[in-house]
């Protein structure tokens, strides 16, 4: 068997800052501007300006540290957590991305004998975040990646053991697109097949770490509802670095 080349280094805190630099720049300017303006304001207003500057600075520090813990220091990219959710391995599987695919090379390296397909949902009309456009320019799609739409995945009905959606589904901002994706995933899965969803959730831990940025994530209830509407049930779950949740949803018949 031909050896699978090691995947390129995954995005860490440096890349996250690079992809989201306008947000970081705005935070730095807010903190610096508030602190500078406070010196020229009367005392009550100056105190508020300093408090706002300190809050902005603290948010930058905390969110950057959280990102470093998740993307540079945790088990996220080693996939050591995968056997707990897929004890029999991924089998024939589809990796769904939405502009930035850092899952497929690592899954392939970990399971070189498993047949892998890759679908990219990237569409500027659907994935509107500037960070995705910047990431895509830096990390091109893996060889063999097939363009796809939420309601049209490149797989036959009941042909897949596993579908991976790693930091991809939340980039579909319209509920109808997410519902179409879950319905289509259910179509492609064999009886007892697994949708492995990996996402930050809009929960207390992520709000504490990312502040208003956590509103880009979706609550657990949204994912559970989409899965239930598609006939998928939660079967196992693993928390990574306290901020990322991996959920295995099973199709009927398993």
């Amino acid at each position: 068997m031909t050896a699978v080349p090691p995947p390129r280094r995954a995005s860490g805190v440096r890349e996250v800052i690079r992809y989201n630099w306008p947000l970081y720049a705005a935070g730095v300017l807010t903190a610096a501007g508030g602190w500078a303006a406070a010196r020229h304001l009367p005392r009550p207003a100056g105190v508020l300006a300093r408090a706002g500057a300190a809050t902005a600075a603290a948010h930058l520090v905390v969110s950057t540290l959280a990102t470093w813990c998740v993307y540079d220091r945790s088990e996220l990219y080693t996939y050591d957590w995968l056997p707990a959710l897929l004890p029999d391995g991924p089998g024939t599987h589809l990796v769904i991305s939405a502009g930035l695919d850092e899952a497929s090379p690592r899954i392939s390296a970990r399971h070189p004998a498993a047949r892998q397909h890759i679908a990219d949902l990237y569409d500027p009309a659907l994935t509107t975040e500037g960070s995705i456009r910047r990431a895509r320019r830096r990390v091109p799609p893996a060889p063999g990646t097939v363009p796809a739409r939420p309601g049209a995945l490149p797989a036959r009905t009941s042909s897949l053991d596993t579908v991976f959606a790693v930091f991809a589904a939340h980039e579909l901002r319209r509920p109808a697109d997410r519902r179409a994706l879950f319905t289509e995933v259910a179509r492609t899965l064999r009886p007892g097949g697994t949708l492995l969803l990996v996402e930050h959730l809009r929960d207390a831990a992520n709000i504490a770490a990312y502040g208003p940025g956590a509103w880009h994530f979706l609550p657990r209830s949204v994912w559970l509802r989409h899965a239930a509407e598609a006939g998928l049930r939660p079967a196992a779950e693993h928390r990574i670095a306290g901020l990322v949740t991996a959920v295995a949803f099973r199709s009927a018949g398993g």
Side-chain angles (χ1 to χ4, degrees):
M1 181 183 298
T2 303
V4 177
R8 61 175 293 280
R9 179 187 178 276
S11 297
V13 67
R14 289 180 300 177
E15 288 75 23
V16 171
I17 292 174
R18 184 178 300 165
Y19 302 154
N20 295 277
W21 70 263
L23 296 178
Y24 283 87
V28 170
L29 290 174
T30 299
W35 198 263
R39 296 187 301 173
H40 306 286
L41 295 172
R43 180 173 176 77
V47 170
L48 288 175
R50 287 190 181 92
T55 299
H59 169 63
L60 279 175
V61 171
V62 171
S63 62
T64 302
L65 180 60
T67 299
W68 177 74
C69 289
V70 171
Y71 294 94
D72 292 271
R73 303 298 297 175
S74 81
E75 60 179 337
L76 175 63
Y77 288 132
T78 67
Y79 281 80
D80 289 342
W81 47 269
L82 193 56
L85 301 180
L86 291 174
D88 298 325
T92 300
H93 60 279
L94 174 70
V95 178
I96 297 172
S97 70
L100 177 61
D101 171 22
E102 297 190 304
S104 65
R106 282 155 187 83
I107 297 167
S108 180
R110 191 176 181 98
H111 296 279
R115 186 176 182 184
Q116 182 180 89
H117 308 275
I118 310 171
D120 185 15
L121 300 180
Y122 179 72
D123 179 344
L126 300 180
T127 51
T128 57
E129 291 293 317
S131 58
I132 292 296
R133 292 194 296 272
R134 288 183 284 272
R136 189 175 180 82
R137 287 196 293 268
R138 183 177 183 273
V139 184
T145 299
V146 178
R149 299 189 307 276
L153 295 176
R156 297 188 308 276
T157 299
S158 302
S159 64
L160 300 173
D161 296 301
T162 309
V163 174
F164 290 88
V166 181
F167 301 131
H170 77 278
E171 297 295 351
L172 300 175
R173 306 311 297 173
R174 300 186 303 206
D177 293 325
R178 295 194 301 270
R179 287 194 293 269
L181 177 63
F182 274 65
T183 299
E184 183 68 351
V185 166
R187 178 191 68 79
T188 67
L189 287 174
R190 293 171 179 157
T194 302
L195 165 62
L196 192 61
L197 180 78
V198 180
E199 290 283 356
H200 288 277
L201 300 179
R202 189 192 304 166
D203 56 17
N206 280 282
I207 291 171
Y210 295 107
W215 261 253
H216 184 61
F217 312 141
L218 295 170
R220 177 191 300 272
S221 60
V222 169
W223 299 122
L224 293 177
R225 183 171 66 251
H226 287 328
E229 290 169 348
L232 304 171
R233 57 180 177 82
E237 183 173 317
H238 185 80
R239 190 80 162 179
I240 301 167
L243 292 169
V244 173
T245 300
V247 184
F249 293 100
R250 295 277 179 348
S251 64

